[in-house]
Amino acid sequence: MDQKGFRRGSFQSATSDEDMLEIPGTSMDFSVADDDPPLDREMGGFSSYNGGGMNGTSAMMDFLEEPLPGVGTYEDFNTIDWVREKSRDRDRHREITNRSKESTWALLHSVSDAFSGWLLMLLIGLLAGSLAGLIDISAHWMTDLKEGVCLAGFWFNHEHCCWKSNTTFTDRDKCPEWKSWSQLILGHGEGAFAYILNYFMYVIWALMFSLLAVLLVKGFAPYACGSGIPEIKTILSGFIIRGYLGKWTLVIKTITLVLAVSSGLSLGKEGPLVHVACCCGNILCHLFTKYRKNEAKRREVLSAAAAAGVSVAFGAPIGGVLFSLEEVSYYFPLKTLWRSFFAALVAAFTLRSINPFGNSRLVLFYVEFHMPWHLLELVPFILLGIFGGLWGAFFIRSNIAWCRRRKTTRLGKYPVLEVIVVTAITAILAFPNEYTRMSTSELISELFNDCGILDSSKLCEYVNDFNSTKGDDLPDRAAGPGVYTAMWQLALALIMKVFITIFTFGMKVPSGLFIPSMAVGAIAGRLLGVAVEQLAFYHHDWAIFSGWCSPGADCITPGLYAMVGAAACLGGVTRMTVSLVVIMFELTGGLEYIVPLMAAAMTSKWVADAIGREGIYDAHIRLNGYPFLEAKEEFSHKTRAMDVMRPRKSDPPLTVITQDTMTVEDVETIVTSTTYSGYPVVVSWMSQRLVGFVLRRDLIISIENARKKQDGIVSTSLICFTDYCPPLPPSSPSVLKLRSILDLSPFTVTDETPMEIVVDIFRKLGLRQCLVTHNGKLLGIITKKDVLKHIAQMANQDPDSILFN
C-alpha cells in the first residue's frame, strides 16, 4: 500500500501503530467504518483535549469557538494514552461538580452522570444474560437436531420433548414423541441400515452447521472467529481494534457460536460469551456521553462486561469478577470491581430467569457432592494436577505450532475447506462413541455425576448389593460390565479430544477452549476415580485404605475426581488459579472441595510454567503480534534507556517541530514525509530544549480546519505553540496558534534510566511513548513498541514479530 501521508480535506493519516520510526510500505486504510459504533472514534461532538488535561484551562483552538471534532481521538491499530484519558475525565468531572452548585438542573445532571455507570452495568447484565440464554437454548436444540426431531413440536429438544411422556424412568430417552432420523425416514430404528442412516444424517447436519458458521464469519464479520479473549486482553490494555466489538461482530458471533457448538466440533461457548458480553458493553457505552468520548472509561466498562460474560458462561458471578481481575483486565480500580460484581449479578439473575436448561440451574453440568474427601486422596488429586500441567503445555505448543503453520502457509487461504475437513473428521470419529457423540457439556455433566440408585448410565452399572446400603448413599461396589465398557470408550474419547482440539482452536469459527479443556480433564479424572474406587473396594485391607475406607462404606467419589481433573486441565491451559477454583466450586455448590481444587490448580500451573511460561491467551497474543505489555513478567536485564531509544547512532536525527519558527508548509512537509504518530516540540533547532509533544492526528486536523475556517492562514503562516508569539511585520500572514493541542508535560526519562524502571512506567501508567533527555535536552524517544521489541530481543525472540498482523 502506498503511503497516503497528509491530504487536505481529509482527517485520515497513515501512521504505523505508535511507531515513531518510518516503516516503508506500511499504512492502514482508515476510511473503512465497517462496524458502527467503533471502539475508538466518535467524529462528532468530541470534548476538547487541552493538552491532556495538564495544561490548565487553556482555550481550545484560537480560531474556533466550538471544540474541534477529531482532536484527541485515536486511529485504528493505535494505543490510547491512559494518562491523557484519565486527565480528560478528571477535568470533565471537575466541571460537572462546579456547575452542580449553580442550578437545580446542573445538580440533576451531576446526579445522572454519577448514576449512569450503574445503569450501564444493569443494561449490560440484562443483554448479556438474555443472549446467553438464547445461545444455550438454541445450541441445545440444534445439537439434538443431528440425531432426530420431536413430533410434538420441532422446536423442542430431546429432553423437553420427553417431559410429558408416560414412559418409565429407565426408558425416559425413548419416548414416542421423539423420533430418530431412521425412525422418521425408514419407520424403524433397529438394524445396520438404520445405524448407517443415523450416522449419515449426523455428519450431514454437522457439516451444514459448520459450513454456515464459517461462511457467515468470512462474509460478514471476520472478527467473530476464535475465542476473542486474546484480543479483548489487548483491547483492555489500551490497543484499538476498530470493529472488533461492533454490532456486526455481536450479531454474527451470536449466530455462528450456536452453529459451531451444535456442529459437534471440539470447542465451547464460554470464551466467545466473554466476547459477546464485551460487544454488548461497547455498544451500550454509546448511550452515555462520558463512556462514548473517553477510551479509558470505556475499558473499565469492558472489564465489567467480561465478568458478566464468565458469569453467564459458568453460572459463577464471583468467579466472573475474579476472572476479569486475574486474567483479562489491565486496569482494574476498586470502582470497577463493584460494578463488575453488579453486572455479573444482573447477568446471572437474567439467565436464571430464562432457565435455559429447565432445571433452575445456570449451567448444564451443575452437580452436588455430599461425601467428604480424605487427606490421602490429595495424592491422586496432585497426580491430576501434574497431568493437567503436562496437557496444558503440550496443547499450547502444538496449537501455536499449528496456528503459525496456518498463518505462514497456503493453509490459511482456505479457511472454509479447513473447517469442513476438521468437522467431517470430528463427526465421523465422534458418532460411533456415545461419549463423543453427545455434546461436550453433556459429557462433562455425565462425568461429574455421582452415581445414584436411579442412574441408568453405563458409568453407574455397578454390581448392586443393596443389603449394605446405608441411607441414601450407595457404598463402593464392584464395577459391572457397563463400567468397563464405559472405561475404554472414555479412553478413546480422551485420545480423540486431546488431538482434535489442537486443530479446532483457532479456526475461522467462534471457538472457546474452556469446555474442551475441562472435558479432557474430566475424562482423565473419572478414569482415575473409578480406578481408585475399585482399588479401595478390592483391597480395603491395605494400609492406605484400612483407616478410613471400611467395607460397605462410600469412600471414593469418581465424579469429584472428574471435577478436579477438569480444573487441572483448564488451569494448565489458561494458567488461571484463584478465579478457576472459585468458578469450579460455584459450579458444584460445595465449599468443602476447595482444597482439592486448589492443590490441583496450583500443581497444574507449576508443572505447566516449568515447561513454558505463557498461557494459551498470551501465546496467541504473541503469535498475532499484538502490542501487549504483560504486567506479570519481570524485566531483569541491565540495559538503559539510551540503549533502546531512537534515533540510534546510525539513524537520521529525530524529527522535531520548533515552538515558533516553522510555517504551515514546513509542518505539512514533515507530516507528509514521515509516518510518525507524534512529534516532540523544542525551543529551537540549536537548543533542543523540550517544550512538549504534539500528536500527528491532532496536528493534521487542526491545520486542515484552520485553512477552512480562519482567514489568512496560508502555507507561509507561522505556527506558534506558545502563548506569546514573536512579533512579525504587519504584512505577514496570520499566525496559527496551536498551543491548545500541545501536551506540555510529556513523560520524560534521562538517558541513564535503567530499562527495568522504564518498563515499569509503561506498564503501570499505560504510556504510548516516553521522551529521553540529557541535561534537559531532547535526545530521543521510546515507544511502547520499542519496549516490546527490546523485551523480545532480550528473550532471544524475533523483535520484528511485535507488529500487528
Side-chain angles (χ1 to χ4, degrees):
M1 295 171 67
D2 293 333
Q3 170 62 36
K4 302 292 190 301
F6 177 87
R7 297 173 291 165
R8 294 182 186 175
S10 167
F11 283 2
Q12 314 302 337
S13 65
T15 62
S16 57
D17 193 355
E18 70 271 2
D19 228 343
M20 299 298 164
L21 276 183
E22 186 170 356
I23 302 176
T26 58
S27 67
M28 301 288 180
D29 181 5
F30 300 110
S31 61
V32 180
D34 53 340
D35 260 332
D36 184 46
L39 179 67
D40 59 301
R41 182 176 62 173
E42 191 69 24
M43 291 303 290
F46 258 90
S47 59
S48 63
Y49 162 53
N50 51 3
M54 295 175 278
N55 295 346
T57 56
S58 57
M60 194 52 198
M61 300 297 173
D62 297 67
F63 52 87
L64 287 176
E65 295 179 2
E66 296 293 325
L68 195 59
V71 168
T73 62
Y74 305 94
E75 301 214 5
D76 205 3
F77 308 123
N78 268 247
T79 301
I80 70 168
D81 190 329
W82 286 89
V83 176
R84 180 172 78 166
E85 295 297 307
K86 297 302 292 182
S87 296
R88 289 171 64 182
D89 185 62
R90 280 195 296 270
D91 289 347
R92 184 197 62 80
H93 189 265
R94 194 179 297 117
E95 185 180 354
I96 289 174
T97 304
N98 293 336
R99 285 183 181 176
S100 66
K101 302 171 184 176
E102 298 173 2
S103 66
T104 306
W105 176 252
L107 180 62
L108 290 174
H109 179 255
S110 174
V111 172
S112 68
D113 182 77
F115 182 69
S116 62
W118 295 101
L119 179 59
L120 179 55
M121 294 302 117
L122 176 67
L123 294 174
I124 290 171
L126 290 171
L127 185 54
S130 302
L131 287 175
L134 176 66
I135 289 168
D136 284 339
I137 293 169
S138 305
H140 204 174
W141 171 67
M142 291 177 68
T143 300
D144 288 347
L145 193 63
K146 291 185 299 183
E147 297 188 30
V149 69
C150 184
L151 298 183
F154 73 90
W155 54 88
F156 289 122
N157 62 39
H158 194 169
E159 184 180 358
H160 292 175
C161 185
C162 296
W163 270 355
K164 296 180 181 179
S165 175
N166 293 322
T167 52
T168 62
F169 185 83
T170 53
D171 294 330
R172 63 191 181 277
D173 291 334
K174 300 176 183 177
C175 61
E177 290 86 354
W178 179 264
K179 298 291 184 185
S180 67
W181 290 110
S182 61
Q183 290 173 325
L184 204 63
I185 297 170
L186 301 177
H188 63 88
E190 303 298 328
F193 192 63
Y195 180 85
I196 292 169
L197 181 61
N198 286 333
Y199 202 152
F200 177 76
M201 292 301 295
Y202 181 92
V203 175
I204 289 298
W205 277 111
L207 290 172
M208 283 174 56
F209 291 155
S210 62
L211 177 63
L212 187 55
V214 71
L215 290 177
L216 285 172
V217 168
K218 186 180 179 184
F220 295 96
Y223 283 151
C225 68
S227 165
I229 292 180
E231 287 76 13
I232 287 168
K233 282 188 73 168
T234 309
I235 288 169
L236 290 179
S237 76
F239 194 55
I240 287 170
I241 308 177
R242 184 177 303 155
Y244 197 82
L245 301 178
K247 64 177 184 297
W248 268 114
T249 305
L250 173 62
V251 171
I252 298 300
K253 186 116 187 178
T254 304
I255 296 170
T256 55
L257 179 55
V258 173
L259 292 166
V261 171
S262 305
S263 69
L265 285 166
S266 183
L267 47 81
K269 62 181 184 297
E270 281 63 23
L273 272 175
V274 176
H275 189 184
V276 167
C278 286
C279 288
C280 296
N282 179 56
I283 292 167
L284 291 170
C285 275
H286 286 260
L287 301 175
F288 302 90
T289 307
K290 74 175 181 180
Y291 295 107
R292 183 175 71 243
K293 295 182 178 180
N294 192 292
E295 293 293 339
K297 294 292 289 181
R298 197 182 312 193
R299 277 154 178 76
E300 293 179 22
V301 173
L302 296 179
S303 292
V310 174
S311 172
V312 293
F314 289 103
I318 301 171
V321 175
L322 291 174
F323 174 82
S324 181
L325 173 62
E326 180 184 3
E327 186 64 26
V328 182
S329 296
Y330 195 83
Y331 174 67
F332 203 85
L334 191 60
K335 181 170 60 177
T336 304
L337 179 71
W338 300 332
R339 289 181 176 173
S340 299
F341 184 78
F342 180 64
L345 166 70
V346 174
F349 175 78
T350 305
L351 187 62
R352 171 66 181 78
S353 303
I354 295 171
N355 195 13
F357 302 110
N359 59 0
S360 302
R361 302 297 184 190
L362 300 183
V363 287
L364 192 60
F365 41 84
Y366 185 93
V367 289
E368 288 183 346
F369 301 126
H370 304 291
M371 292 305 299
W373 58 278
H374 194 270
L375 187 64
L376 289 174
E377 287 185 280
L378 275 179
V379 175
F381 293 154
I382 288 172
L383 288 176
L384 286 173
I386 294 171
F387 172 78
L390 293 173
W391 144 251
F394 167 74
F395 175 82
I396 291 169
R397 290 198 176 186
S398 305
N399 180 252
I400 292 299
W402 178 252
C403 289
R404 185 175 289 113
R405 183 178 180 83
R406 183 188 290 127
K407 288 170 72 76
T408 56
T409 64
R410 296 183 63 186
L411 179 65
K413 298 178 181 178
Y414 306 102
V416 178
L417 180 63
E418 181 188 11
V419 170
I420 292 298
V421 169
V422 173
T423 305
I425 293 171
T426 304
I428 290 167
L429 293 177
F431 187 84
N433 188 340
E434 64 177 284
Y435 292 109
T436 50
R437 187 191 316 164
M438 65 176 67
S439 75
T440 315
S441 294
E442 289 177 350
L443 171 62
I444 293 172
S445 177
E446 181 106 344
L447 294 168
F448 281 9
N449 184 42
D450 188 16
C451 290
I453 296 174
L454 296 177
D455 278 311
S456 57
S457 165
K458 278 186 185 177
L459 283 169
C460 297
E461 285 188 16
Y462 289 89
V463 177
N464 288 315
D465 180 11
F466 291 111
N467 293 328
S468 61
T469 303
K470 299 175 182 177
D472 294 330
D473 295 323
L474 290 174
D476 288 344
R477 297 160 289 165
V483 175
Y484 289 113
T485 303
M487 289 300 100
W488 69 258
Q489 286 182 330
L490 284 175
L492 291 176
L494 177 64
I495 295 169
M496 177 190 163
K497 292 280 183 188
V498 163
F499 289 102
I500 206 72
T501 308
I502 292 169
F503 302 100
T504 305
F505 187 69
M507 291 196 307
K508 297 304 178 188
V509 290
S511 53
L513 193 56
F514 282 31
I515 290 296
S517 300
M518 288 176 67
V520 168
I523 294 171
R526 187 79 187 204
L527 292 172
L528 181 62
V530 171
V532 174
E533 181 190 46
Q534 294 305 299
L535 197 65
F537 177 78
Y538 286 110
H539 303 283
H540 53 80
D541 53 339
W542 283 9
I544 56 173
F545 298 121
S546 59
W548 57 283
C549 191
S550 57
D554 184 12
C555 309
I556 310 296
T557 307
L560 173 61
Y561 284 71
M563 187 184 75
V564 172
C569 281
L570 185 54
V573 172
T574 62
R575 309 300 162 85
M576 294 190 299
T577 50
V578 180
S579 56
L580 172 64
V581 171
V582 173
I583 286 171
M584 293 305 294
F585 86 69
E586 281 188 273
L587 279 178
T588 58
L591 294 175
E592 59 187 299
Y593 304 111
I594 286 184
V595 173
L597 290 170
M598 290 174 69
M602 281 311 304
T603 306
S604 171
K605 179 173 170 58
W606 286 336
V607 171
D609 280 348
I611 301 172
R613 297 285 297 175
E614 290 179 322
I616 186 65
Y617 301 128
D618 295 329
H620 273 271
I621 286 173
R622 186 163 61 84
L623 176 69
N624 292 324
Y626 297 134
F628 179 78
L629 200 53
E630 179 57 67
K632 300 171 188 171
E633 295 179 1
E634 293 289 331
F635 183 85
S636 56
H637 302 282
K638 293 184 178 181
T639 50
R640 297 169 295 171
M642 63 187 300
D643 301 324
V644 181
M645 74 173 191
R646 287 175 296 164
R648 309 277 166 77
K649 291 180 181 179
S650 57
D651 294 340
L654 188 68
T655 303
V656 296
I657 297 174
T658 57
Q659 66 176 359
D660 56 12
T661 60
M662 296 181 72
T663 63
V664 170
E665 185 178 18
D666 295 335
V667 174
E668 286 180 347
T669 302
I670 288 176
V671 170
T672 307
S673 60
T674 63
T675 58
Y676 309 151
S677 292
Y679 305 92
V681 177
V682 296
V683 174
S684 66
W685 293 104
M686 294 295 294
S687 73
Q688 291 289 307
R689 297 282 177 183
L690 182 64
V691 176
F693 192 84
V694 62
L695 293 178
R696 171 198 184 93
R697 181 180 177 83
D698 294 353
L699 204 55
I700 292 173
I701 293 171
S702 303
I703 293 174
E704 288 181 352
N705 276 269
R707 283 185 178 276
K708 294 174 185 175
K709 298 183 179 181
Q710 184 179 359
D711 294 334
I713 297 296
V714 293
S715 294
T716 55
S717 297
L718 193 69
I719 290 182
C720 185
F721 289 97
T722 58
D723 282 330
Y724 304 102
C725 298
L728 297 172
S731 59
S732 300
S734 300
V735 175
L736 176 56
K737 295 183 178 180
L738 297 182
R739 179 183 173 85
S740 51
I741 65 168
L742 180 66
D743 181 1
L744 288 172
S745 53
F747 274 87
T748 59
V749 295
T750 67
D751 52 340
E752 293 293 333
T753 306
M755 271 308 294
E756 56 186 328
I757 294 177
V758 175
V759 171
D760 264 352
I761 291 172
F762 271 89
R763 279 176 180 157
K764 293 173 180 176
L765 296 179
L767 299 184
R768 297 180 68 181
Q769 69 276 320
C770 178
L771 300 174
V772 183
T773 61
H774 178 75
N775 293 338
K777 290 187 177 182
L778 180 66
L779 283 186
I781 188 167
I782 299 174
T783 67
K784 185 176 181 180
K785 194 164 287 180
D786 293 329
V787 173
L788 287 162
K789 286 184 175 181
H790 183 65
I791 292 173
Q793 200 169 8
M794 292 293 102
N796 296 320
Q797 297 169 0
D798 179 17
D800 292 327
S801 65
I802 312 297
L803 286 172
F804 177 68
N805 183 5

